[in-house]
């Protein structure tokens, strides 16, 4: 009986111990995985590559400290997201922020500078801790990217067409001609060019087209091809002065009228400064004083009393510093000439007539003198013959 009781007691004790330790299992350390990824496995030289670095764990991640290696002959570090820095073949990710998450993501951007197959991997001994600062066991992968040469870039750096709104180019435009000239008047302050590149992948940049100054201006159009080579087109712009414009206008239209600083001038082959009549100066007979619009300016003029709309009228002016007098304007011919009054014409006629009379007397006297000389020689010859 006692033995039976002992067996039962032993069974109870074993069951009790089994119940006490049944909830204890094997302890395992937390782990994390570092995963590198990118779009595709090939890339063209000259383009950018973005690598995504993802850190995952079954626990809340505390800190991340790791390094990536890359092939400098194929890639150069360009930029990274927060906590990322790089250069000289290595990228560092140092993240001590508190985010209470079980995953962290970072991006690294490289510029493809060479060709070939390059490996990007996590360096040895990366550190990933849990929220309590305990290090986790870490696993990682690597990626291989093949960089290839892209298609040849275009080298065409020529213009297809070039024109200017304010004037004509000389010589006429040709893509292989790189120097031109253009003349503009003084009133033109800025030029507007239409430059069309021959290649859609080329660009054209205009410089020197700021406010023009009188005389020679140099404008440059630089065309840059996709491949980086460039060609300049030079345009020499000759902007005339205000005086040159006035002289040209006078030659084309006969004369021009300019109003500056309370002084009105009429410019033809000479410059005439219009003056007010003095008290002693009389208006020529048959003319009346009036205000007349000449070339867009209001001018004091003297028009025929019987025909005020005549294209012939007078102005009172001094020509290049000389004494002021009346000048007759012919609007149709665009000319100015000094006006002579009737008295001046009569005096001139009388002077002409007097001159003609003197000339006639001199001619008669000369003829008479010649006759005397000839007669004397004739008598001398006859006398000698008789002797």
């Amino acid at each position: 009986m006692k033995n039976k009781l002992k067996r039962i007691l032993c069974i109870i004790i074993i069951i009790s111990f089994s119940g006490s330790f049944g909830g204890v299992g094997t302890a395992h350390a937390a782990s994390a995985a570092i995963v590198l990824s990118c779009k595709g496995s090939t890339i063209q030289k000259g383009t950018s590559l973005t690598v995504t670095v993802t850190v995952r764990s079954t626990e809340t991640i505390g800190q991340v400290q790791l390094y990536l290696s890359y092939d400098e002959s194929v890639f150069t570090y360009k930029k990274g997201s927060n906590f990322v820095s790089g250069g000289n073949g290595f990228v560092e990710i140092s993240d001590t922020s508190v985010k209470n998450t079980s995953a962290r993501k970072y991006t690294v951007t490289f510029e493809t500078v060479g060709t070939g197959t390059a490996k990007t991997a996590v360096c040895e001994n990366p550190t990933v801790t849990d929220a309590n600062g305990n290090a986790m066991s870490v696993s990682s992968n690597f990626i291989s990217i093949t960089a290839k040469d892209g298609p040849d870039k275009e080298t065409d750096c020529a213009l297809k067409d070039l024109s200017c709104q304010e004037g004509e180019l000389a010589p006429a435009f040709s893509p292989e001609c790189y120097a031109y000239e253009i003349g503009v008047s003084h009133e033109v302050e800025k030029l507007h060019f239409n430059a069309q590149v021959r290649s859609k992948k080329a660009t054209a940049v205009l410089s020197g087209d700021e406010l023009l100054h009188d005389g020679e201006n140099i404008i440059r159009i630089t065309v840059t091809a996709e491949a980086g080579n460039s060609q300049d087109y030079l345009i020499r712009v000759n902007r005339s002065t205000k005086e040159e414009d006035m002289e040209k206008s006078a030659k084309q239209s006969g004369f021009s009228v300019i109003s500056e600083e309370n002084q009105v001038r009429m410019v033809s082959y000479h410059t005439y400064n219009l003056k007010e009549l003095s008290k002693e100066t009389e208006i020529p007979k048959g003319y009346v004083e009036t205000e007349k619009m000449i070339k867009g300016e209001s001018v004091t003029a003297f028009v025929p009393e019987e025909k005020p709309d005549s294209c012939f009228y007078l102005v009172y002016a001094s020509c290049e510093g000389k004494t002021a007098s009346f000048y007759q304007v012919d609007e149709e011919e665009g000319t100015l000439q000094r006006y002579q009054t009737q008295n001046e014409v009569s005096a001139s006629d009388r002077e002409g007539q007097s001159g003609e009379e003197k000339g006639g007397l001199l001619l008669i006297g000369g003829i008479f003198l010649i006759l005397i000389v000839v007669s004397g020689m004739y008598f001398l010859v006859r006398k000698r013959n008789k002797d």
Side-chain angles (χ1 to χ4, degrees):
M1 182 70 180
K2 289 181 178 179
N3 291 334
K4 190 174 181 180
L5 288 173
K6 286 180 180 180
R7 286 195 201 99
I8 293 171
L9 183 60
C10 288
I11 293 171
I12 291 172
I13 292 172
I14 292 171
I15 293 172
S16 297
F17 273 96
S18 299
S20 299
F21 295 97
V24 178
T26 303
H28 297 284
S31 64
I34 302 174
V35 180
L36 307 184
S37 62
C38 64
K39 293 182 179 180
S41 59
T42 59
I43 193 170
Q44 287 186 353
K45 180 181 177 181
T47 60
S48 296
L49 169 69
T50 298
V51 175
T52 301
V53 181
T54 306
V55 181
R56 295 192 181 95
S57 176
T58 57
E59 304 292 333
T60 299
I61 297 174
Q63 297 183 7
V64 176
Q65 180 72 43
L66 62 90
Y67 289 89
L68 303 179
S69 63
Y70 62 89
D71 189 342
E72 282 189 288
S73 67
V74 179
F75 299 111
T76 58
Y77 175 79
K78 189 175 181 181
K79 63 181 180 178
S81 58
N82 291 339
F83 314 111
V84 178
S85 60
N88 300 320
F90 293 95
V91 174
E92 179 185 11
I93 299 177
S94 181
D95 185 359
T96 60
S97 63
V98 178
K99 296 183 180 178
N100 196 30
T101 61
S102 60
R104 303 275 178 99
K105 185 177 288 187
Y106 314 93
T107 58
V108 184
T109 302
F110 299 97
E111 187 72 22
T112 310
V113 295
T115 59
T117 300
K119 178 182 177 180
T120 300
V122 180
C123 297
E124 292 182 0
N125 302 320
T127 300
V128 180
T129 66
D130 61 18
N132 296 320
N134 300 315
M136 303 184 189
S137 61
V138 180
S139 62
S140 64
N141 69 326
F142 67 87
I143 57 174
S144 292
I145 302 295
T146 300
K148 299 179 179 180
D149 281 323
D152 293 337
K153 293 183 178 180
E154 291 191 17
T155 59
D156 188 352
C157 55
L159 289 176
K160 180 175 68 175
D161 191 22
L162 176 63
S163 60
C164 178
Q165 293 182 13
E166 289 74 18
E168 295 293 329
L169 297 174
F173 175 75
S174 171
E176 283 70 39
C177 180
Y178 306 114
Y180 299 90
E181 291 188 1
I182 184 172
V184 296
S185 63
H186 181 76
E187 64 183 10
V188 177
E189 297 181 346
K190 185 178 177 64
L191 298 181
H192 300 84
F193 287 92
N194 179 25
Q196 299 180 24
V197 293
R198 193 161 58 184
S199 169
K200 293 181 179 180
K201 296 182 179 180
T203 58
V205 177
L206 186 69
S207 60
D209 62 328
E210 298 79 14
L211 292 180
L212 300 175
H213 58 263
D214 291 349
E216 184 178 85
N217 300 262
I218 301 297
I219 294 179
R220 185 187 310 271
I221 300 175
T222 302
V223 183
T224 304
E226 181 189 23
N229 55 302
S230 62
Q231 175 64 56
D232 287 343
Y233 289 80
L234 297 179
I235 301 101
R236 296 181 183 274
V237 181
N238 291 303
R239 184 193 188 208
S240 60
T241 63
K242 192 171 185 179
E243 291 73 18
E244 289 172 340
D245 280 355
M246 289 189 301
E247 184 178 348
K248 182 178 179 180
S249 175
K251 289 180 179 179
Q252 291 177 344
S253 61
F255 63 86
S256 59
V257 180
I258 303 163
S259 179
E260 290 181 337
E261 299 179 355
N262 300 322
Q263 174 63 62
V264 180
R265 293 183 294 161
M266 298 183 74
V267 181
S268 182
Y269 290 98
H270 300 285
T271 299
Y272 302 84
N273 294 315
L274 301 190
K275 302 289 186 181
E276 293 183 1
L277 284 180
S278 62
K279 294 181 180 179
E280 296 79 13
T281 305
E282 294 183 359
I283 299 174
K285 187 177 180 181
Y287 288 87
V288 293
E289 183 176 349
T290 185
E291 289 295 316
K292 188 176 181 66
M293 292 300 295
I294 306 174
K295 305 287 186 180
E297 297 288 344
S298 179
V299 172
T300 299
F302 306 89
V303 298
E305 189 172 6
E306 297 181 356
K307 196 176 181 182
D309 295 330
S310 173
C311 64
F312 295 94
Y313 52 86
L314 304 180
V315 293
Y316 189 70
S318 65
C319 177
E320 300 179 351
K322 297 178 182 179
T323 304
S325 62
F326 287 99
Y327 288 86
Q328 186 178 53
V329 180
D330 182 347
E331 280 196 340
E332 288 188 358
E333 296 291 336
T335 60
L336 283 84
Q337 61 181 4
R338 187 174 178 182
Y339 174 75
Q340 289 184 315
T341 63
Q342 190 62 39
N343 291 336
E344 290 174 328
V345 172
S346 298
S348 176
D349 290 343
R350 286 195 298 271
E351 289 177 2
Q353 291 172 1
S354 176
E356 290 176 359
E357 290 174 356
K358 290 179 181 178
L361 291 174
L362 289 173
L363 179 60
I364 294 171
I367 293 172
F368 182 73
L369 181 59
I370 291 171
L371 290 174
I372 292 174
V373 172
V374 171
S375 298
M377 292 177 65
Y378 173 76
F379 285 114
L380 287 173
V381 171
R382 284 191 64 185
K383 186 177 179 182
R384 286 179 183 176
N385 291 336
K386 288 180 180 180
D387 295 340

